[in-house]
Amino acid sequence: MNKELLTKGKQAKAAAYELGNASTLLKNKGLLEMAKLLLKKQTEILVANERDLQMAKEKGISQAMLDRLTLNAERLQDMAEGLRQVAGLPDPIGEVLSMWKTENELQIGQKRVPLGVIGMIYEARPNVTCDAAGLCLKTGNAVILRGGSEAIHSNMAIVAILREALKNVGLPVDSVQMIENTSRELALEMMRCNTYIDVLIPRGGAGLIQSVVHHATVPVIETGIGNCHVYVDSDCDLQMAKNIVVNAKTSRPAVCNAAEKLLIHEQVAVEFLPKVVDALEEKNVEIRADEKVRALLPNKNLVPATKEDWYQEYLDYIIGVKVVANIDAAIAHINQYGSKHSEVIVTNRYDHAQKFLQCVDAAAVYVNASSRFTDGGEFGFGAEIGISTQKLHARGPMGLKELTTIKYIIYGNGQIR
């Protein structure tokens, strides 16, 4: 095993034991100290981030991906506020979920406990470093972070500050560790580090996530890509629909809850298409359109959509647009091509809203709201460690409770079997 991974794995195991038994008061104190130091030392973080940005620009990374990598004073304020919000949330650790008595007078209960050591493998979003550390601290989990090479300087600066905060309040500094070696070889070793890592959470593009799922022997919570759709129904507020589509696509196109596809009921396509396409083109969005869309907009220079487009998560100023016959066709398309992340219907019909909520297979399903709200902070979790698109253990934005497991606690009075 790689020496760095071996050392940090051992340190994480020891830290997880101590942290798992720390009081809520002490953990909250650590979170507030993290928030304070992030802002106090923001210059160090921004200098490191500028170094990463310069290297990324030299490599020709897209503007949308640069946005994911960029930190500024406002985003650091948001990161600090996320830590403060997590500190203010109830601590799930130690919560007894249920208690019952058996025929032989045993008292059996279920109690929330930490997962142990969480491994994070992720790409160019340094805010994930802070979110993951904060959520893991509150839930008594040690975390080993392995970010991408494009954000290494930002991540190292953030982790150094978070570790200083832990030291200041008397919590084990090795509760938060960063793997500095960003090679693929070490990432593969981390995926098989069952001795020291209890759960692995990948966060990034489709290639990264599938690589972790394919190669890992450590149990994986799969955070999926976001091939998210907005379906505009036959009876809806078209101005609302346009606002939702533009927001969902363009507010931050490089994040997983951004809309990648637009489906339009054929009864409103003639009226709605020119308005929404003009609005998207004003934001420099490339339209990849099916035959019906192109036929309705012959004067527009639209890119013909391929079958591969319907599966694609663009993470860029690109959207696929399709005209569908009815709500059933929209649901069928979403369930075939979607990534089970976040799906939206814009409609005035209650029965259609309920049908969409019931039949669409996704972690988050919206009626008359942007998909951009699929976020731990927006859901009231303070932050998130990822958005799970799988169905076992956790689904959707993963907050504090999703980073726990249960332990059965049994009280007896001398019973034997």
Side-chain angles (χ1 to χ4, degrees), residues 269-290:
V270 172
E271 181 180 357
F272 184 63
L273 266 170
K275 297 175 182 177
V276 74
V277 168
D278 284 347
L280 289 167
E281 288 183 337
E282 283 179 13
K283 299 281 189 176
N284 299 313
V285 177
E286 177 185 303
I287 311 296
R288 297 191 182 177
D290 75 347

Side-chain angles (χ1 to χ4, degrees), residues 11 32 34 74 87 90 94 117 142 147 159 161 168 177 179 181 208 214 251 258 264 293 298 305 313 338 350 375 405:
Q11 292 170 342
L32 295 175
M34 284 177 168
E74 182 181 358
V117 177
V159 167
I161 290 167
N168 289 350
Q177 298 184 88
I179 297 290
N181 182 338
L208 169 69
H214 179 72
S251 61
I264 305 170
V293 173
E313 181 192 36
Y350 177 81
D375 174 85
T405 186

Side-chain angles (χ1 to χ4, degrees), residues 49-119:
N49 185 244
E50 183 56 40
R51 187 176 175 187
D52 287 330
L53 286 170
Q54 189 57 45
M55 292 172 62
K57 289 173 185 175
E58 291 171 2
K59 292 179 180 178
I61 289 178
S62 72
Q63 189 59 45
M65 294 304 291
L66 283 174
D67 177 66
R68 299 184 82 164
L69 179 58
T70 299
L71 294 175
N72 52 38
E74 182 181 358
R75 290 184 179 180
L76 286 172
Q77 284 283 356
D78 290 343
M79 289 160 61
E81 179 58 25
L83 290 169
R84 289 191 287 264
Q85 288 179 15
V86 171
L89 292 171
D91 187 349
I93 299 303
E95 176 188 3
V96 177
L97 302 175
S98 60
M99 182 72 74
W100 64 94
K101 184 181 287 187
T102 63
E103 290 183 2
N104 59 10
E105 298 297 314
L106 287 175
Q107 290 273 5
I108 302 177
Q110 292 178 319
K111 179 180 178 181
R112 287 196 188 276
V113 296
L115 291 167
V117 177
I118 294 175

Side-chain angles (χ1 to χ4, degrees), residues 224-228 255-260 312-315 339 341-342:
I225 64 169
N227 186 21
C228 307
V255 294
C256 62
N257 58 21
E260 304 287 33
Q312 184 91 18
E313 181 192 36
Y314 299 119
L315 301 175
S339 60
H341 192 292
S342 300

Side-chain angles (χ1 to χ4, degrees), residues 23 78 81 99 182 192 219 248 250 295 326 330 348 383:
S23 69
D78 290 343
E81 179 58 25
M99 182 72 74
T182 60
R192 296 166 180 158
T250 68
N326 50 45
N348 289 331

